Amino acid sequence: MLCCPIRRRNLCNMYQRLTRNLWLISIVLTVTVFSLSTLFSKYSISSQTCLTKSNDKSDVQTNNRNVSSFKPTIFIGGMPRSGTTLMRAILDSHPLIRCGEETRVIPRILSMRAAWKKSPVEWNRLIAGGMTEAILDSAVRAFVYEILLHHSLSADILCDKDPFVLKYATYVASIFPNSKFLLLIRDARAVIHSVMTRRVTITGFSQTDYRQNLKLWNKGIESMFQQCQQIGHNRCMMVYYEQLVLQPKKSIENILKFLDVPWVDSVLHHEELIGKKISLSKTEHSSDQVIKPINLEALTKWFGHVPSDVREELDVLAPMLKRLGYDTKSDTPSYGTADPLVLANMEKMKENADFWKQKVKAYARQLPNNTNLFQKIS
Amino acid sequence: MLCCPIRRRNLCNMYQRLTRNLWLISIVLTVTVFSLSTLFSKYSISSQTCLTKSNDKSDVQTNNRNVSSFKPTIFIGGMPRSGTTLMRAILDSHPLIRCGEETRVIPRILSMRAAWKKSPVEWNRLIAGGMTEAILDSAVRAFVYEILLHHSLSADILCDKDPFVLKYATYVASIFPNSKFLLLIRDARAVIHSVMTRRVTITGFSQTDYRQNLKLWNKGIESMFQQCQQIGHNRCMMVYYEQLVLQPKKSIENILKFLDVPWVDSVLHHEELIGKKISLSKTEHSSDQVIKPINLEALTKWFGHVPSDVREELDVLAPMLKRLGYDTKSDTPSYGTADPLVLANMEKMKENADFWKQKVKAYARQLPNNTNLFQKIS
């Protein structure tokens, strides 16, 4: 503060007041300008992102620039009855991820697009009509992403579990650069036993013919395996069902590491979230199985059910089985030792047998009684 | 300005300077705050739109709010061989509109979605799996819009010409609120004569059976007609092929009025833009016809070709023909008088017959010689 001689005190006071006011105004001005420009710059970025998003033409021309703003996505697949529902229930128990029920429509649009591409006449017509691969990709991606986004609610990481999506894995990997794939692998003998005893209708699979089913399994898994390898181990991981149920902690740790997702203990107890974060479909075959804690019930059910003539031809009918590391010489192969956690789960399930029986009933598959119609669609 | 006694002049000057500075600072402050808040509010609106756009979940819940930002879209359809290509070539000659070749994939995805909806078992499975009608609509719309946007280049008004899209007109109208429909109507006898003589493969149509073809035409047009009526005359207009070629100026004036698009003279001479703004597909059947100026060549070609027993049953086989106003009693019905412009076009084409013959050859349909494959797809 300035020193004022007494005789000019009045004027001097006035001057001091004004100086103070001036400082005050300067401070207010600085703060106002600073906060407004901060807000302005923040909204300016959002707005830029928005403009990029709506400029769809340049998107196609510049190799889908806006795809980089897509949420990360996990695709879970494999041959049916290979633990894909268990896998997605485990991931569903992670707070960052939401897989949900099978969408059924994602593999359909992928199969439709594959059919166009496969037919030289149809492809020729599309190209002659001004269509390009980039335009089609862009439309297929828009469809799939729209389904995933709405089906996955507001999860940070989107996730799709539709077993046959892995048939188109390399294509999906190309249109979704920010995606990873989990290919579930399971002993074909167990897969086929499950298809036949649980009467699962899958196009081409027979309810009685082991040979036909082994060949079909081999064809399917071979193609998925090749595509997974082509995508590379950074983006596609093979998950053995047997290891997942025998050693859940170790397996899930590896899976979450591969997915770059932090560990949370809830993934070891997905059964506690059924009906809460995890919704199950009453028309899917595995719902009444994945309501239980991770267990070994389904591991060896097939033992003793493979006809002896089929057993002898196993390596010819389904060479992929051996290639994937399964012991095709034994009729009761050992898949490894079980984690104490799983053994404890088994014990608890035994103690509360009635409780689990009721629960299984509640989640048993329900479909209208029109078998003809049903078979036509499957 | 304040008046200062002489003896205090120095102090008084100081006071005046400060007051002036204070005013200056206040003005600067006001202007700064005002301009920053204007900018802020401007970007805040963009950003709000953007947030709405990316918050797709709420979008589905609030009946597709962001769809209002879609470009206006015209859907041209009808039974094949009814002038849909001519119609789109005419609209393509308007600077604001771009239709282009048939996309072929838009009717496919619409048919796929219709099949899901039609099957109670499949629909039940989708709903049980957490899918909703709104999610599916959103995905189908995303696919269709992506195709239209990229296929229509940077046109102000998007346009799709895929004849069978009109089979799903009410659905398309519901997912694209900012769309209008043109349903092309043509005498069934001419349609069928064209299918049979130009060997057009359309699922269900025969190369020899007039009766079967008339029934099929009737079924198709009846459904499209009903849907067009359901959408209402504000959004769906029936365009009679015969009137379009006989009275192009009057017809196109009405169509552009219906579409809320300003008149331009180029629409009367689409042939001048072929190969420039208008691209034709070498795999579409009408390309070698629409390269010519609007003419009457195809109007009466069918005269004398309908078997007499079919003629007698016409109103039973295809009651829609009479309902749509066609004279089913006459074998050589009159469709009305021709505009002098069309008569002049006919004269010019006669004078330069060789020139047009060569041009037709250049645009003749080309497809690989694999008829089996071709028939499977058609």
Side-chain angles (χ1 to χ4, degrees):
Chain A
M1 193 181 280
L2 290 164
C3 174
C4 287
I6 283 174
R7 65 181 185 96
R8 288 185 181 173
R9 186 154 292 170
N10 272 348
L11 275 169
C12 195
N13 277 348
M14 203 165 81
Y15 175 74
Q16 281 177 0
R17 265 205 311 279
L18 273 169
T19 314
R20 245 197 331 267
N21 283 346
L22 211 65
W23 273 104
L24 211 76
I25 288 166
S26 301
I27 290 166
V28 167
L29 179 73
T30 313
V31 169
T32 313
V33 167
F34 178 77
S35 14
L36 278 171
S37 53
T38 309
L39 268 167
F40 168 71
S41 77
K42 190 172 126 204
Y43 277 91
S44 164
I45 289 162
S46 311
S47 156
Q48 235 175 355
T49 317
C50 183
L51 291 172
T52 313
K53 273 201 156 180
S54 63
N55 190 356
D56 298 69
K57 189 66 202 169
S58 73
D59 175 19
V60 162
Q61 285 164 346
T62 56
N63 201 17
N64 306 302
R65 198 172 38 184
N66 80 8
V67 174
S68 58
S69 69
F70 276 19
K71 287 186 180 184
T73 306
I74 302 162
F75 290 93
I76 301 172
M79 291 305 282
R81 317 304 308 148
S82 299
T84 52
T85 311
L86 177 64
M87 186 70 253
R88 78 99 170 159
I90 291 169
L91 291 189
D92 264 341
S93 65
H94 194 291
L96 292 177
I97 306 171
R98 150 93 187 178
C99 305
E101 306 90 334
E102 291 179 14
T103 74
R104 301 179 62 80
V105 297
I106 291 179
R108 303 276 177 85
I109 195 156
L110 293 172
S111 131
M112 193 167 82
R113 182 256 164 208
W116 297 333
K117 188 76 199 279
K118 209 176 161 189
S119 153
V121 173
E122 182 55 30
W123 194 251
N124 173 49
R125 279 181 163 202
L126 288 174
I127 301 302
M131 205 54 70
T132 65
E133 195 138 12
I135 298 179
L136 281 175
D137 289 354
S138 170
V140 171
R141 177 172 42 234
F143 182 97
V144 172
Y145 194 66
E146 204 69 11
I147 294 286
L148 285 175
L149 208 57
H150 299 319
H151 196 248
S152 295
L153 305 174
S154 51
D156 290 308
I157 301 172
L158 308 182
C159 167
D160 172 54
K161 187 281 259 191
D162 279 301
F164 283 128
V165 161
L166 266 279
K167 271 172 75 175
Y168 315 99
T170 48
Y171 175 67
V172 176
S174 77
I175 62 168
F176 286 96
N178 195 10
S179 63
K180 291 199 172 179
F181 297 78
L182 295 175
L183 169 56
L184 270 288
I185 308 276
R186 188 186 180 191
D187 192 324
R189 293 163 289 191
V191 169
I192 290 162
H193 183 73
S194 172
V195 168
M196 288 163 83
T197 53
R198 289 180 68 93
R199 297 175 180 279
V200 181
T201 39
I202 308 163
T203 315
F205 275 82
S206 155
Q207 293 301 315
T208 50
D209 190 340
Y210 255 94
R211 281 194 161 69
Q212 183 183 322
N213 292 350
L214 277 167
K215 281 188 209 162
L216 262 179
W217 174 87
N218 195 75
K219 198 181 160 198
I221 204 70
E222 188 171 24
S223 155
M224 292 179 185
F225 174 75
Q226 280 170 354
Q227 295 199 45
C228 191
Q229 284 200 311
Q230 211 174 315
I231 295 170
H233 64 274
N234 285 330
R235 290 185 62 200
C236 186
M237 183 185 194
M238 294 206 297
V239 177
Y240 281 78
Y241 169 77
E242 293 83 6
Q243 297 316 309
L244 185 62
V245 293
L246 282 165
Q247 297 285 336
K249 190 156 191 295
K250 206 175 127 195
S251 302
I252 302 172
E253 266 173 4
N254 280 339
I255 293 165
L256 294 188
K257 212 173 147 191
F258 162 75
L259 295 173
D260 271 327
V261 172
W263 173 267
V264 286
D265 286 334
S266 59
V267 293
L268 287 177
H269 299 285
H270 73 273
E271 73 280 5
E272 292 170 6
L273 292 168
I274 299 283
K276 293 168 200 163
K277 186 176 177 261
I278 307 178
S279 57
L280 294 174
S281 168
K282 293 218 164 179
T283 68
E284 281 183 37
H285 279 279
S286 318
S287 298
D288 60 355
Q289 296 176 303
V290 299
I291 51 155
K292 299 178 187 172
I294 298 178
N295 66 73
L296 307 176
E297 276 182 351
L299 204 59
T300 56
K301 268 188 181 165
W302 66 271
F303 281 13
H305 289 280
V306 183
S308 58
D309 57 325
V310 173
R311 284 204 306 250
E312 279 160 29
E313 283 184 66
L314 214 51
D315 289 342
V316 180
L317 294 166
M320 280 302 291
L321 199 51
K322 201 174 170 184
R323 202 169 154 201
L324 289 168
Y326 287 96
D327 177 1
T328 54
K329 293 284 163 256
S330 169
D331 296 336
T332 54
S334 161
Y335 296 119
T337 52
D339 192 304
L341 173 97
V342 179
L343 297 175
N345 284 349
M346 296 293 281
E347 206 52 49
K348 267 185 260 169
M349 280 167 60
K350 217 171 167 182
E351 282 165 19
N352 302 299
D354 278 346
F355 170 80
W356 289 109
K357 215 171 169 182
Q358 288 306 316
K359 219 161 180 187
V360 166
K361 257 192 195 162
Y363 280 91
R365 191 157 177 264
Q366 290 170 3
L367 267 180
N369 283 330
N370 189 333
T371 322
N372 275 333
L373 196 54
F374 170 45
Q375 281 173 342
K376 252 201 276 171
I377 293 152
S378 289
Chain B
M1 194 181 279
L2 290 164
C3 175
C4 290
I6 282 172
R7 65 184 184 93
R8 290 184 180 172
R9 186 153 293 170
N10 272 348
L11 277 169
C12 194
N13 275 349
M14 205 166 80
Y15 175 74
Q16 279 178 0
R17 265 203 312 277
L18 274 167
T19 316
R20 245 199 331 267
N21 282 346
L22 209 67
W23 273 105
L24 212 75
I25 287 165
S26 303
I27 290 168
V28 168
L29 180 74
T30 313
V31 169
T32 312
V33 167
F34 178 77
S35 13
L36 278 171
S37 53
T38 308
L39 268 166
F40 169 71
S41 76
K42 190 173 124 202
Y43 276 91
S44 164
I45 289 164
S46 310
S47 157
Q48 235 176 355
T49 318
C50 182
L51 291 172
T52 312
K53 272 201 156 179
S54 63
N55 187 358
D56 298 69
K57 190 69 201 168
S58 75
D59 175 19
V60 163
Q61 284 163 349
T62 57
N63 202 16
N64 307 301
R65 202 168 33 182
N66 82 6
V67 175
S68 58
S69 68
F70 277 19
K71 287 186 181 184
T73 305
I74 303 162
F75 290 93
I76 302 171
M79 292 304 283
R81 318 301 310 147
S82 298
T84 53
T85 311
L86 176 64
M87 186 71 252
R88 77 98 172 159
I90 291 169
L91 290 189
D92 264 342
S93 66
H94 195 290
L96 291 177
I97 308 171
R98 151 93 187 179
C99 305
E101 305 91 333
E102 291 179 14
T103 74
R104 301 178 62 81
V105 297
I106 291 178
R108 303 275 176 86
I109 195 154
L110 293 172
S111 131
M112 193 166 80
R113 181 257 164 208
W116 297 333
K117 187 77 199 278
K118 211 176 160 188
S119 152
V121 174
E122 181 57 29
W123 194 249
N124 173 48
R125 280 181 160 202
L126 289 174
I127 301 303
M131 205 54 72
T132 65
E133 194 138 14
I135 298 180
L136 281 175
D137 289 355
S138 170
V140 171
R141 178 175 38 238
F143 181 98
V144 173
Y145 195 66
E146 204 69 10
I147 293 285
L148 285 176
L149 208 58
H150 298 319
H151 195 247
S152 294
L153 305 174
S154 50
D156 290 306
I157 302 172
L158 307 181
C159 166
D160 171 55
K161 187 282 255 191
D162 278 300
F164 284 128
V165 162
L166 266 278
K167 271 171 75 176
Y168 315 99
T170 50
Y171 175 68
V172 176
S174 77
I175 61 168
F176 287 96
N178 195 10
S179 63
K180 292 200 172 179
F181 297 78
L182 295 175
L183 169 56
L184 270 288
I185 308 275
R186 188 185 180 192
D187 192 324
R189 292 163 289 192
V191 169
I192 290 163
H193 183 74
S194 172
V195 168
M196 289 164 82
T197 52
R198 288 181 71 95
R199 297 175 178 278
V200 181
T201 39
I202 309 164
T203 316
F205 275 82
S206 155
Q207 294 300 315
T208 49
D209 190 339
Y210 254 93
R211 279 192 162 68
Q212 183 184 321
N213 292 350
L214 277 167
K215 282 187 207 162
L216 263 179
W217 175 87
N218 195 74
K219 198 181 160 198
I221 203 72
E222 188 172 23
S223 156
M224 293 179 184
F225 174 75
Q226 280 169 354
Q227 296 200 45
C228 190
Q229 283 198 313
Q230 211 173 316
I231 296 170
H233 64 274
N234 287 329
R235 289 185 61 201
C236 185
M237 184 185 193
M238 295 205 295
V239 177
Y240 281 78
Y241 168 77
E242 293 83 5
Q243 297 316 309
L244 185 62
V245 294
L246 281 166
Q247 296 285 336
K249 190 157 190 293
K250 206 175 128 194
S251 301
I252 302 171
E253 265 173 4
N254 281 338
I255 293 165
L256 294 187
K257 211 173 148 191
F258 162 74
L259 296 173
D260 271 328
V261 172
W263 172 268
V264 287
D265 286 335
S266 59
V267 294
L268 287 176
H269 298 287
H270 72 273
E271 73 279 5
E272 292 169 5
L273 292 168
I274 300 282
K276 293 167 200 165
K277 184 175 178 265
I278 307 177
S279 57
L280 295 174
S281 168
K282 292 217 166 178
T283 69
E284 281 184 38
H285 278 279
S286 318
S287 297
D288 61 355
Q289 295 176 303
V290 299
I291 50 156
K292 299 177 186 172
I294 299 177
N295 65 73
L296 307 176
E297 275 182 351
L299 204 58
T300 56
K301 266 188 183 166
W302 66 271
F303 282 12
H305 289 279
V306 183
S308 59
D309 57 326
V310 173
R311 283 202 308 248
E312 279 160 30
E313 283 183 67
L314 214 52
D315 289 341
V316 180
L317 294 165
M320 280 301 291
L321 199 52
K322 201 175 169 183
R323 201 168 153 202
L324 288 168
Y326 288 96
D327 178 1
T328 55
K329 293 285 161 255
S330 170
D331 297 336
T332 54
S334 161
Y335 296 119
T337 51
D339 193 304
L341 174 98
V342 179
L343 296 175
N345 284 347
M346 296 292 281
E347 205 53 48
K348 266 185 260 169
M349 280 167 63
K350 214 170 168 183
E351 282 165 18
N352 301 298
D354 277 346
F355 169 79
W356 287 109
K357 215 171 168 179
Q358 287 307 315
K359 215 157 184 191
V360 167
K361 257 192 195 162
Y363 279 91
R365 191 158 176 262
Q366 289 171 3
L367 267 181
N369 284 331
N370 188 334
T371 323
N372 275 335
L373 195 54
F374 170 47
Q375 280 173 343
K376 253 202 275 175
I377 294 153
S378 290

